[in-house]
Amino acid sequence: MSSKDPIRSFKQPSFSDQRKRRQQSLQRQSQNREEAQRHARSLLQTILSFLDVQPESHGDISLVTQSEESVKEFDVRQAARIRGAEARRWFAKQLMMPEWMIDIPDRLSSDWYVCARPSGKRCFVVSSNGITVSRLRNGSLLHRFPSALPNGARTNKSTGSGQSYCILDCIFHEPDQTYYVIDMVCWAGISMYECTADFRFFWLNNKLVETGACDRPSVSHKYMFRAISFFDCDQEGLNEAYTGIAPYVKDGLLFCNKHSHYQSGNTPLSLVWKDEKCSQYVIDTDSKGLIPDQQQVVLELLDDGRLATSDEPPAIFAHLDSRFIQENELKAGNLLRFAIKGWGSYFTDGNLEGADLQYVGKPNRSKNLADSLSKVVFQYMARNAPLRIEQLFTAVNASRKEDATICDLDIVDLTLNSMDA
Protein backbone atom coordinates (compact mmCIF):
# COMPACT_ATOMS: atom_id res chain seq x y z
CA MET A 1 0.00 0.00 0.00
CA SER A 2 1.35 3.44 -0.86
CA SER A 3 2.65 5.57 2.02
CA LYS A 4 0.45 8.38 0.66
CA ASP A 5 -2.71 6.35 1.14
CA PRO A 6 -4.80 8.14 3.82
CA ILE A 7 -6.03 4.76 5.11
CA ARG A 8 -3.15 2.66 6.41
CA SER A 9 -3.58 -0.98 7.35
CA PHE A 10 -2.91 -1.57 11.02
CA LYS A 11 -1.22 -4.69 12.36
CA GLN A 12 -2.20 -5.92 15.80
CA PRO A 13 -1.81 -9.08 17.91
CA SER A 14 -4.08 -11.97 17.00
CA PHE A 15 -7.66 -11.47 18.12
CA SER A 16 -8.87 -14.29 20.40
CA ASP A 17 -11.07 -16.79 18.62
CA GLN A 18 -14.70 -17.24 19.57
CA ARG A 19 -14.15 -20.51 21.44
CA LYS A 20 -11.53 -18.98 23.71
CA ARG A 21 -13.71 -15.94 24.41
CA ARG A 22 -16.64 -18.18 25.33
CA GLN A 23 -14.50 -19.83 27.99
CA GLN A 24 -13.32 -16.47 29.30
CA SER A 25 -16.88 -15.11 29.49
CA LEU A 26 -18.04 -18.06 31.58
CA GLN A 27 -15.10 -17.56 33.96
CA ARG A 28 -15.79 -13.84 34.37
CA GLN A 29 -19.44 -14.34 35.30
CA SER A 30 -18.70 -15.30 38.90
CA GLN A 31 -16.72 -12.08 39.39
CA ASN A 32 -19.57 -9.79 38.30
CA ARG A 33 -22.40 -10.83 40.60
CA GLU A 34 -22.03 -7.94 43.06
CA GLU A 35 -22.65 -5.39 40.28
CA ALA A 36 -25.79 -7.02 38.86
CA GLN A 37 -28.45 -5.47 41.12
CA ARG A 38 -26.89 -1.99 40.97
CA HIS A 39 -26.67 -2.13 37.18
CA ALA A 40 -30.32 -3.18 36.89
CA ARG A 41 -31.56 -0.32 39.09
CA SER A 42 -29.36 2.14 37.21
CA LEU A 43 -30.75 1.03 33.87
CA LEU A 44 -34.28 1.42 35.22
CA GLN A 45 -33.64 4.98 36.39
CA THR A 46 -32.04 5.96 33.11
CA ILE A 47 -34.88 4.60 30.99
CA LEU A 48 -37.53 6.27 33.14
CA SER A 49 -35.62 9.56 33.12
CA PHE A 50 -36.50 9.81 29.40
CA LEU A 51 -40.26 9.72 29.99
CA ASP A 52 -40.69 13.32 28.87
CA VAL A 53 -39.56 12.41 25.35
CA GLN A 54 -42.53 11.95 23.02
CA PRO A 55 -42.70 9.24 20.32
CA GLU A 56 -42.74 11.80 17.52
CA SER A 57 -39.65 13.60 18.86
CA HIS A 58 -36.50 13.05 16.83
CA GLY A 59 -34.21 15.30 18.82
CA ASP A 60 -31.07 14.13 20.57
CA ILE A 61 -31.52 12.36 23.87
CA SER A 62 -29.35 12.87 26.92
CA LEU A 63 -28.56 10.93 30.06
CA VAL A 64 -28.93 13.10 33.15
CA THR A 65 -28.36 12.02 36.74
CA GLN A 66 -31.09 12.78 39.25
CA SER A 67 -28.70 13.37 42.16
CA GLU A 68 -25.05 13.16 43.10
CA GLU A 69 -25.87 10.18 45.28
CA SER A 70 -27.13 8.21 42.29
CA VAL A 71 -23.85 8.90 40.51
CA LYS A 72 -21.92 7.54 43.47
CA GLU A 73 -24.14 4.51 43.87
CA PHE A 74 -24.32 3.43 40.26
CA ASP A 75 -21.07 3.17 38.34
CA VAL A 76 -22.87 3.03 35.01
CA ARG A 77 -24.33 6.48 35.63
CA GLN A 78 -20.96 8.14 36.15
CA ALA A 79 -21.02 8.95 32.44
CA ALA A 80 -23.95 11.28 33.11
CA ARG A 81 -24.97 14.29 31.05
CA ILE A 82 -23.91 12.72 27.78
CA ARG A 83 -25.89 13.69 24.72
CA GLY A 84 -26.66 12.84 21.12
CA ALA A 85 -24.67 10.07 19.47
CA GLU A 86 -22.78 9.29 22.66
CA ALA A 87 -26.02 8.77 24.57
CA ARG A 88 -27.40 6.54 21.80
CA ARG A 89 -24.26 4.38 21.87
CA TRP A 90 -24.46 4.13 25.66
CA PHE A 91 -28.02 2.89 25.42
CA ALA A 92 -27.24 0.39 22.67
CA LYS A 93 -24.51 -1.18 24.81
CA GLN A 94 -26.95 -2.01 27.63
CA LEU A 95 -28.58 -4.79 25.59
CA MET A 96 -26.93 -8.19 25.44
CA MET A 97 -25.85 -8.44 21.82
CA PRO A 98 -25.16 -11.87 20.31
CA GLU A 99 -22.01 -12.40 18.35
CA TRP A 100 -22.32 -13.91 14.90
CA MET A 101 -21.54 -17.62 14.75
CA ILE A 102 -18.17 -18.02 13.04
CA ASP A 103 -17.33 -21.36 14.62
CA ILE A 104 -19.57 -24.04 16.08
CA PRO A 105 -19.50 -24.29 19.89
CA ASP A 106 -18.49 -27.48 21.68
CA ARG A 107 -21.25 -29.45 23.46
CA LEU A 108 -23.85 -27.76 21.27
CA SER A 109 -26.56 -30.36 21.96
CA SER A 110 -26.19 -30.31 25.76
CA ASP A 111 -25.09 -26.76 26.70
CA TRP A 112 -27.07 -24.61 24.25
CA TYR A 113 -30.61 -23.52 23.46
CA VAL A 114 -31.79 -22.46 20.01
CA CYS A 115 -34.77 -20.45 18.78
CA ALA A 116 -36.06 -18.82 15.62
CA ARG A 117 -35.29 -15.12 16.09
CA PRO A 118 -38.17 -12.76 15.27
CA SER A 119 -37.72 -9.96 12.77
CA GLY A 120 -38.50 -6.56 14.26
CA LYS A 121 -37.33 -3.77 16.54
CA ARG A 122 -35.03 -4.78 19.39
CA CYS A 123 -35.89 -2.90 22.58
CA PHE A 124 -36.01 -2.80 26.35
CA VAL A 125 -39.49 -2.86 27.91
CA VAL A 126 -39.69 -1.38 31.42
CA SER A 127 -42.74 -1.36 33.71
CA SER A 128 -42.66 0.81 36.82
CA ASN A 129 -44.79 3.33 38.71
CA GLY A 130 -47.96 2.30 36.87
CA ILE A 131 -46.65 2.79 33.33
CA THR A 132 -44.81 0.70 30.74
CA VAL A 133 -42.19 2.13 28.40
CA SER A 134 -40.32 0.55 25.49
CA ARG A 135 -37.00 1.99 24.28
CA LEU A 136 -35.16 1.15 21.09
CA ARG A 137 -31.44 0.44 20.93
CA ASN A 138 -30.72 4.13 20.40
CA GLY A 139 -32.71 5.11 23.50
CA SER A 140 -35.59 6.68 21.60
CA LEU A 141 -39.12 6.02 22.80
CA LEU A 142 -41.03 3.32 20.93
CA HIS A 143 -44.21 3.05 23.01
CA ARG A 144 -45.60 4.29 26.31
CA PHE A 145 -48.58 2.23 27.42
CA PRO A 146 -50.36 0.32 30.21
CA SER A 147 -49.51 -3.36 30.53
CA ALA A 148 -50.14 -6.37 32.75
CA LEU A 149 -46.43 -6.50 33.67
CA PRO A 150 -45.51 -5.87 37.33
CA ASN A 151 -46.49 -2.27 38.19
CA GLY A 152 -47.08 -1.65 34.48
CA ALA A 153 -50.50 0.01 34.73
CA ARG A 154 -52.50 2.04 37.24
CA THR A 155 -54.94 -0.69 38.20
CA ASN A 156 -55.96 -2.45 41.39
CA LYS A 157 -53.32 -5.08 40.67
CA SER A 158 -50.53 -2.51 40.72
CA THR A 159 -48.42 -2.67 43.87
CA GLY A 160 -47.58 1.02 43.72
CA SER A 161 -44.09 0.27 45.04
CA GLY A 162 -41.16 1.85 43.21
CA GLN A 163 -39.22 -1.35 43.90
CA SER A 164 -41.70 -3.45 41.90
CA TYR A 165 -40.38 -2.96 38.38
CA CYS A 166 -39.71 -5.16 35.39
CA ILE A 167 -37.15 -4.99 32.57
CA LEU A 168 -37.56 -7.28 29.56
CA ASP A 169 -35.39 -7.68 26.46
CA CYS A 170 -37.85 -7.83 23.56
CA ILE A 171 -38.33 -7.64 19.82
CA PHE A 172 -41.41 -5.72 18.72
CA HIS A 173 -42.99 -7.45 15.72
CA GLU A 174 -44.94 -4.89 13.68
CA PRO A 175 -47.27 -7.23 11.69
CA ASP A 176 -49.06 -8.57 14.78
CA GLN A 177 -48.21 -5.68 17.16
CA THR A 178 -46.67 -8.10 19.65
CA TYR A 179 -43.66 -7.91 21.95
CA TYR A 180 -41.73 -11.16 21.70
CA VAL A 181 -39.65 -11.55 24.85
CA ILE A 182 -36.21 -13.02 24.25
CA ASP A 183 -34.87 -12.51 27.77
CA MET A 184 -35.68 -11.31 31.27
CA VAL A 185 -33.40 -8.74 32.91
CA CYS A 186 -35.45 -7.93 36.05
CA TRP A 187 -38.76 -9.15 37.42
CA ALA A 188 -40.73 -7.52 40.25
CA GLY A 189 -37.58 -5.67 41.32
CA ILE A 190 -35.41 -8.80 41.37
CA SER A 191 -32.33 -8.65 39.13
CA MET A 192 -31.81 -11.58 36.77
CA TYR A 193 -28.38 -10.46 35.57
CA GLU A 194 -26.59 -13.04 37.74
CA CYS A 195 -28.97 -15.92 36.88
CA THR A 196 -28.22 -18.52 34.25
CA ALA A 197 -30.18 -18.55 30.99
CA ASP A 198 -31.62 -21.90 32.06
CA PHE A 199 -33.27 -20.26 35.07
CA ARG A 200 -34.19 -16.96 33.35
CA PHE A 201 -36.10 -18.74 30.56
CA PHE A 202 -37.92 -20.99 33.05
CA TRP A 203 -38.88 -18.00 35.22
CA LEU A 204 -39.89 -15.94 32.19
CA ASN A 205 -42.25 -18.56 30.80
CA ASN A 206 -43.99 -19.02 34.13
CA LYS A 207 -44.22 -15.42 35.34
CA LEU A 208 -45.24 -13.88 32.03
CA VAL A 209 -48.33 -16.09 31.81
CA GLU A 210 -49.22 -15.57 35.49
CA THR A 211 -49.46 -11.79 35.10
CA GLY A 212 -51.78 -11.95 32.10
CA ALA A 213 -49.21 -10.22 29.87
CA CYS A 214 -49.82 -12.91 27.24
CA ASP A 215 -53.55 -12.13 27.14
CA ARG A 216 -55.15 -10.25 24.27
CA PRO A 217 -54.91 -6.43 24.40
CA SER A 218 -57.37 -4.51 26.57
CA VAL A 219 -57.81 -1.05 28.07
CA SER A 220 -55.25 -1.79 30.80
CA HIS A 221 -53.03 -3.94 28.60
CA LYS A 222 -52.38 -2.39 25.21
CA TYR A 223 -49.92 -4.86 23.63
CA MET A 224 -49.63 -8.61 23.80
CA PHE A 225 -46.40 -10.22 25.08
CA ARG A 226 -45.19 -13.67 24.11
CA ALA A 227 -42.13 -15.56 25.28
CA ILE A 228 -39.91 -16.92 22.54
CA SER A 229 -39.85 -20.73 22.32
CA PHE A 230 -36.31 -21.89 23.05
CA PHE A 231 -35.46 -25.52 22.33
CA ASP A 232 -32.64 -27.75 23.48
CA CYS A 233 -30.18 -27.64 20.61
CA ASP A 234 -30.42 -31.34 19.75
CA GLN A 235 -31.48 -32.68 16.35
CA GLU A 236 -35.19 -32.19 17.08
CA GLY A 237 -34.81 -28.74 18.60
CA LEU A 238 -32.58 -27.41 15.85
CA ASN A 239 -34.91 -28.79 13.20
CA GLU A 240 -37.97 -27.22 14.88
CA ALA A 241 -36.29 -23.80 15.14
CA TYR A 242 -35.07 -23.96 11.54
CA THR A 243 -38.03 -25.47 9.70
CA GLY A 244 -40.93 -25.14 12.17
CA ILE A 245 -43.75 -22.65 11.73
CA ALA A 246 -43.38 -19.53 13.88
CA PRO A 247 -46.05 -16.87 14.59
CA TYR A 248 -43.66 -14.20 13.32
CA VAL A 249 -41.31 -13.49 10.43
CA LYS A 250 -38.00 -15.23 11.12
CA ASP A 251 -34.67 -13.45 11.05
CA GLY A 252 -32.17 -16.22 11.59
CA LEU A 253 -31.50 -18.55 14.51
CA LEU A 254 -30.46 -17.43 17.99
CA PHE A 255 -28.29 -19.73 20.12
CA CYS A 256 -27.84 -19.19 23.87
CA ASN A 257 -25.51 -20.96 26.30
CA LYS A 258 -27.55 -22.44 29.15
CA HIS A 259 -25.00 -21.32 31.76
CA SER A 260 -24.68 -17.74 30.52
CA HIS A 261 -25.69 -14.69 32.56
CA TYR A 262 -27.27 -11.58 31.07
CA GLN A 263 -24.37 -9.29 30.24
CA SER A 264 -24.40 -5.95 28.46
CA GLY A 265 -22.67 -5.61 25.11
CA ASN A 266 -21.34 -8.25 22.72
CA THR A 267 -21.08 -11.75 24.12
CA PRO A 268 -19.89 -15.05 22.57
CA LEU A 269 -22.31 -16.90 24.88
CA SER A 270 -25.17 -15.80 22.62
CA LEU A 271 -24.83 -16.38 18.88
CA VAL A 272 -26.85 -15.52 15.80
CA TRP A 273 -26.74 -17.49 12.54
CA LYS A 274 -28.53 -16.96 9.24
CA ASP A 275 -29.04 -18.42 5.81
CA GLU A 276 -31.45 -17.62 2.95
CA LYS A 277 -34.10 -20.04 4.20
CA CYS A 278 -34.58 -18.52 7.66
CA SER A 279 -33.81 -14.85 6.97
CA GLN A 280 -34.41 -12.26 4.29
CA TYR A 281 -31.21 -10.49 5.23
CA VAL A 282 -28.11 -12.66 5.17
CA ILE A 283 -25.63 -10.44 3.32
CA ASP A 284 -25.67 -6.77 4.29
CA THR A 285 -27.18 -4.32 1.81
CA ASP A 286 -26.35 -0.68 1.10
CA SER A 287 -28.60 2.36 1.68
CA LYS A 288 -30.55 1.45 -1.49
CA GLY A 289 -31.25 -2.09 -0.32
CA LEU A 290 -28.80 -3.62 -2.80
CA ILE A 291 -25.93 -6.00 -2.09
CA PRO A 292 -22.70 -4.11 -2.89
CA ASP A 293 -20.00 -5.79 -4.96
CA GLN A 294 -17.53 -5.34 -2.13
CA GLN A 295 -18.17 -6.18 1.49
CA GLN A 296 -18.73 -3.09 3.64
CA VAL A 297 -18.01 -2.49 7.31
CA VAL A 298 -18.92 0.24 9.79
CA LEU A 299 -16.11 1.22 12.16
CA GLU A 300 -15.65 3.82 14.90
CA LEU A 301 -12.97 6.50 14.60
CA LEU A 302 -10.88 6.64 17.78
CA ASP A 303 -8.97 9.63 19.17
CA ASP A 304 -5.68 8.52 17.62
CA GLY A 305 -7.18 7.89 14.16
CA ARG A 306 -7.55 4.14 14.50
CA LEU A 307 -10.67 2.46 13.09
CA ALA A 308 -12.21 0.05 15.58
CA THR A 309 -15.01 -2.49 15.95
CA SER A 310 -17.53 -2.44 18.82
CA ASP A 311 -15.83 -5.33 20.60
CA GLU A 312 -14.19 -5.13 24.04
CA PRO A 313 -11.29 -4.93 23.42
CA PRO A 314 -11.87 -3.57 19.91
CA ALA A 315 -10.32 -5.04 16.78
CA ILE A 316 -8.38 -2.41 14.80
CA PHE A 317 -8.80 -2.47 11.03
CA ALA A 318 -6.78 0.51 9.88
CA HIS A 319 -5.52 4.02 10.70
CA LEU A 320 -6.63 7.33 9.16
CA ASP A 321 -4.05 10.08 8.77
CA SER A 322 -4.78 13.51 10.24
CA ARG A 323 -5.07 15.25 6.85
CA PHE A 324 -7.81 12.88 5.69
CA ILE A 325 -9.66 13.40 8.98
CA GLN A 326 -9.49 17.19 8.64
CA GLU A 327 -10.46 17.27 4.96
CA ASN A 328 -13.56 15.17 5.62
CA GLU A 329 -14.43 17.00 8.86
CA LEU A 330 -14.35 13.83 10.90
CA LYS A 331 -13.95 13.57 14.65
CA ALA A 332 -13.40 10.91 17.29
CA GLY A 333 -16.53 8.88 17.93
CA ASN A 334 -17.82 9.14 14.35
CA LEU A 335 -19.10 5.93 12.77
CA LEU A 336 -17.69 5.52 9.26
CA ARG A 337 -18.55 3.12 6.45
CA PHE A 338 -15.80 1.49 4.39
CA ALA A 339 -15.65 -0.99 1.54
CA ILE A 340 -13.17 -3.80 2.08
CA LYS A 341 -11.08 -3.86 -1.09
CA GLY A 342 -9.29 -7.05 -0.16
CA TRP A 343 -8.31 -9.16 2.80
CA GLY A 344 -5.07 -10.60 1.40
CA SER A 345 -2.58 -11.49 4.11
CA TYR A 346 -4.37 -9.33 6.68
CA PHE A 347 -6.91 -12.00 7.56
CA THR A 348 -5.34 -15.32 8.54
CA ASP A 349 -6.71 -18.30 10.50
CA GLY A 350 -9.61 -16.31 11.90
CA ASN A 351 -7.35 -13.57 13.25
CA LEU A 352 -7.48 -9.98 12.09
CA GLU A 353 -4.27 -8.07 11.45
CA GLY A 354 -5.67 -5.33 9.22
CA ALA A 355 -7.67 -4.71 6.06
CA ASP A 356 -7.46 -2.74 2.82
CA LEU A 357 -10.27 -0.20 3.13
CA GLN A 358 -11.91 2.41 0.91
CA TYR A 359 -13.92 5.21 2.55
CA VAL A 360 -17.61 5.24 1.53
CA GLY A 361 -19.11 7.79 3.93
CA LYS A 362 -21.08 7.95 7.16
CA PRO A 363 -23.76 5.31 7.82
CA ASN A 364 -27.43 6.00 8.45
CA ARG A 365 -28.08 7.94 11.66
CA SER A 366 -29.99 4.97 13.08
CA LYS A 367 -26.72 3.05 13.25
CA ASN A 368 -25.51 3.39 16.85
CA LEU A 369 -22.52 1.08 17.11
CA ALA A 370 -19.67 -0.06 14.93
CA ASP A 371 -19.85 -3.59 13.57
CA SER A 372 -18.44 -6.37 15.73
CA LEU A 373 -15.57 -8.44 14.45
CA SER A 374 -17.74 -11.56 14.43
CA LYS A 375 -20.25 -9.80 12.15
CA VAL A 376 -17.50 -8.79 9.72
CA VAL A 377 -16.15 -12.35 9.65
CA PHE A 378 -19.64 -13.84 9.25
CA GLN A 379 -20.32 -11.51 6.32
CA TYR A 380 -16.99 -12.53 4.76
CA MET A 381 -17.90 -16.20 5.20
CA ALA A 382 -21.42 -15.64 3.82
CA ARG A 383 -19.90 -14.27 0.63
CA ASN A 384 -17.19 -16.90 0.26
CA ALA A 385 -17.65 -20.06 2.36
CA PRO A 386 -20.82 -19.87 4.51
CA LEU A 387 -21.38 -21.96 7.61
CA ARG A 388 -24.27 -24.16 6.47
CA ILE A 389 -27.17 -25.72 8.36
CA GLU A 390 -25.89 -29.20 7.45
CA GLN A 391 -22.71 -28.45 9.40
CA LEU A 392 -24.77 -27.45 12.43
CA PHE A 393 -26.76 -30.69 12.31
CA THR A 394 -23.51 -32.67 11.98
CA ALA A 395 -22.02 -30.84 14.97
CA VAL A 396 -25.16 -31.47 17.05
CA ASN A 397 -25.02 -35.18 16.28
CA ALA A 398 -21.30 -35.37 17.08
CA SER A 399 -21.89 -33.47 20.34
CA ARG A 400 -24.65 -35.89 21.31
CA LYS A 401 -22.40 -38.91 20.71
CA GLU A 402 -19.58 -37.29 22.69
CA ASP A 403 -21.91 -36.62 25.62
CA ALA A 404 -23.15 -40.22 25.48
CA THR A 405 -19.55 -41.49 25.56
CA ILE A 406 -18.73 -39.33 28.58
CA CYS A 407 -21.87 -40.59 30.32
CA ASP A 408 -20.88 -44.22 29.63
CA LEU A 409 -17.40 -43.60 31.04
CA ASP A 410 -18.88 -42.07 34.18
CA ILE A 411 -21.10 -45.13 34.67
CA VAL A 412 -18.07 -47.41 34.29
CA ASP A 413 -16.12 -45.37 36.87
CA LEU A 414 -19.02 -45.54 39.33
CA THR A 415 -19.33 -49.29 38.83
CA LEU A 416 -15.60 -49.86 39.39
CA ASN A 417 -15.59 -47.67 42.48
CA SER A 418 -18.53 -49.57 43.97
CA MET A 419 -16.79 -52.88 43.29
CA ASP A 420 -13.61 -51.61 44.97
CA ALA A 421 -15.65 -50.54 47.97
Side-chain angles (χ1 to χ4, degrees):
M1 178 178 294
S2 170
S3 60
K4 296 182 180 180
D5 195 320
I7 306 176
R8 304 194 306 274
S9 63
F10 189 93
K11 291 242 176 179
Q12 67 169 28
S14 295
F15 196 83
S16 300
D17 62 38
Q18 211 166 47
R19 180 176 291 117
K20 181 179 179 180
R21 287 182 285 112
R22 278 194 290 270
Q23 295 170 347
Q24 292 172 339
S25 293
L26 287 170
Q27 292 170 356
R28 282 197 301 268
Q29 286 185 162
S30 60
Q31 303 170 5
N32 297 331
R33 292 188 175 184
E34 295 180 1
E35 301 297 322
Q37 186 70 30
R38 290 192 294 173
H39 188 91
R41 290 176 59 195
S42 170
L43 180 59
L44 168 75
Q45 289 189 7
T46 304
I47 293 174
L48 295 181
S49 71
F50 295 158
L51 281 177
D52 58 334
V53 180
Q54 297 303 315
E56 63 271 14
S57 173
H58 298 288
D60 282 346
I61 61 172
S62 61
L63 309 183
V64 182
T65 54
Q66 298 177 352
S67 68
E68 291 184 1
E69 290 301 317
S70 66
V71 177
K72 295 177 181 177
E73 183 180 5
F74 304 120
D75 293 341
V76 75
R77 292 181 65 85
Q78 291 179 358
R81 297 191 181 280
I82 57 178
R83 297 178 180 275
E86 190 178 358
R88 290 193 294 273
R89 283 196 292 274
W90 180 91
F91 218 101
K93 289 181 179 179
Q94 304 315 303
L95 287 163
M96 182 167 73
M97 302 303 297
E99 290 195 7
W100 292 70
M101 184 183 287
I102 55 179
D103 68 34
I104 301 177
D106 297 327
R107 300 178 62 82
L108 190 59
S109 65
S110 58
D111 287 358
W112 291 77
Y113 289 120
V114 62
C115 75
R117 189 174 72 159
S119 175
K121 298 177 179 179
R122 182 82 179 274
C123 58
F124 273 130
V125 174
V126 175
S127 63
S128 180
N129 299 323
I131 191 67
T132 304
V133 177
S134 55
R135 294 272 175 192
L136 298 175
R137 285 179 56 186
N138 63 5
S140 61
L141 185 65
L142 177 59
H143 296 133
R144 180 178 179 177
F145 58 100
S147 77
L149 296 174
N151 216 357
R154 299 189 185 280
T155 64
N156 293 333
K157 295 181 180 180
S158 177
T159 64
S161 169
Q163 297 299 317
S164 181
Y165 61 90
C166 173
I167 305 178
L168 301 178
D169 186 344
C170 301
I171 294 177
F172 183 68
H173 190 246
E174 293 273 6
D176 60 1
Q177 295 286 289
T178 297
Y179 282 96
Y180 287 93
V181 187
I182 59 177
D183 217 323
M184 174 186 285
V185 182
C186 298
W187 187 265
I190 301 173
S191 170
M192 296 289 163
Y193 275 101
E194 69 274 25
C195 300
T196 63
D198 207 6
F199 177 81
R200 295 197 310 273
F201 295 163
F202 169 79
W203 198 254
L204 170 63
N205 278 281
N206 283 274
K207 295 299 180 182
L208 203 62
V209 173
E210 288 178 7
T211 62
C214 298
D215 296 345
R216 292 186 177 278
S218 64
V219 174
S220 59
H221 178 61
K222 187 173 182 179
Y223 295 99
M224 182 184 295
F225 287 78
R226 295 186 65 170
I228 293 296
S229 296
F230 277 92
F231 307 97
D232 289 323
C233 194
D234 50 23
Q235 292 279 343
E236 294 77 14
L238 180 59
N239 184 66
E240 180 63 28
Y242 184 65
T243 65
I245 298 175
Y248 47 77
V249 178
K250 294 183 182 180
D251 186 25
L253 300 183
L254 182 64
F255 297 81
C256 185
N257 187 286
K258 295 180 179 179
H259 311 292
S260 64
H261 296 176
Y262 194 98
Q263 59 186 76
S264 301
N266 298 329
T267 172
L269 298 179
S270 181
L271 301 170
V272 63
W273 174 91
K274 297 180 180 183
D275 70 1
E276 291 79 3
K277 184 172 181 178
C278 65
S279 176
Q280 301 177 51
Y281 312 102
V282 179
I283 298 179
D284 282 350
T285 57
D286 58 20
S287 58
K288 298 179 181 178
L290 303 175
I291 296 177
D293 294 333
Q294 294 177 319
Q295 181 181 346
Q296 295 187 358
V297 58
V298 174
L299 301 170
E300 181 178 356
L301 178 62
L302 303 183
D303 291 331
D304 57 3
R306 292 182 300 163
L307 297 168
T309 64
S310 61
D311 302 280
E312 293 291 344
I316 306 301
F317 271 66
H319 190 287
L320 291 181
D321 66 27
S322 57
R323 177 178 295 181
F324 183 86
I325 293 174
Q326 292 175 359
E327 290 176 349
N328 289 273
E329 300 181 344
L330 306 177
K331 59 182 180 180
N334 281 165
L335 296 181
L336 308 175
R337 184 178 296 277
F338 296 88
I340 302 177
K341 294 190 291 185
W343 290 99
S345 61
Y346 300 117
F347 189 67
T348 307
D349 298 330
N351 298 317
L352 175 72
E353 295 183 339
D356 193 3
L357 303 178
Q358 179 178 355
Y359 182 56
V360 175
K362 293 184 178 180
N364 188 288
R365 192 173 180 272
S366 62
K367 181 78 173 176
N368 306 301
L369 293 175
D371 291 337
S372 65
L373 179 60
S374 65
K375 178 181 179 180
V376 179
V377 176
F378 185 92
Q379 288 293 312
Y380 173 82
M381 294 170 61
R383 286 170 171 264
N384 297 277
L387 182 61
R388 301 189 181 281
I389 189 65
E390 293 81 9
Q391 293 171 273
L392 295 178
F393 277 109
T394 299
V396 165
N397 191 47
S399 175
R400 182 183 60 80
K401 290 181 178 179
E402 180 182 349
D403 291 339
T405 301
I406 293 174
C407 182
D408 290 342
L409 290 175
D410 289 340
I411 293 175
V412 171
D413 287 342
L414 287 172
T415 302
L416 292 175
N417 289 336
S418 63
M419 291 175 64
D420 290 340

